[in-house]
Amino acid sequence: MYRVCKEVGILPRSPHKIRKTYCSILSDYKVSEKLIIDQMGHTSILISNQFYNRNRQKLKEKEKTISAIPEFQQKLALVK
């Protein structure tokens, strides 16, 4: 896995990290819980949600909120 990451020019990812990302993407796109647990090999969606699913939408909301602050927009304009 690390070799493949290096070949495509991205930071190294472990197989476990890729499983977490896969579960999160399925959840982001509102894939049915049954399909998620089937894909992850879990017996309950609780396991998938507790240990694998990371709500990535919250990150986008935080970025949008912080980017809307006028003082930060001015500083970003100076950097560019």
Side-chain angles (χ1 to χ4, degrees):
M1 186 62 63
Y2 295 108
R3 180 181 55 81
V4 171
C5 289
K6 185 176 180 178
E7 286 178 12
V8 298
I10 62 173
L11 293 173
R13 306 287 196 282
S14 70
H16 186 68
K17 174 68 174 168
I18 291 171
R19 276 179 57 82
K20 285 184 168 196
T21 301
Y22 182 65
C23 184
S24 298
I25 290 170
L26 293 177
S27 181
D28 286 351
Y29 285 92
K30 311 289 188 248
V31 171
S32 75
E33 290 180 352
K34 170 89 172 96
L35 182 56
I36 292 173
I37 62 174
D38 287 347
Q39 289 290 295
M40 297 303 294
H42 297 151
T43 56
S44 166
I45 194 65
L46 297 175
I47 295 169
S48 300
N49 286 339
Q50 184 176 2
F51 297 107
Y52 288 86
N53 186 15
R54 180 173 156 233
N55 186 341
R56 299 169 342 130
Q57 296 302 318
K58 287 184 181 180
L59 292 175
K60 291 177 186 176
E61 291 171 15
K62 287 177 188 177
E63 288 175 3
K64 183 178 177 182
T65 300
I66 291 171
S67 296
I69 298 170
E71 288 83 2
F72 291 145
Q73 290 175 349
Q74 292 171 357
K75 290 180 183 177
L76 289 174
L78 294 174
V79 174
K80 292 179 183 180

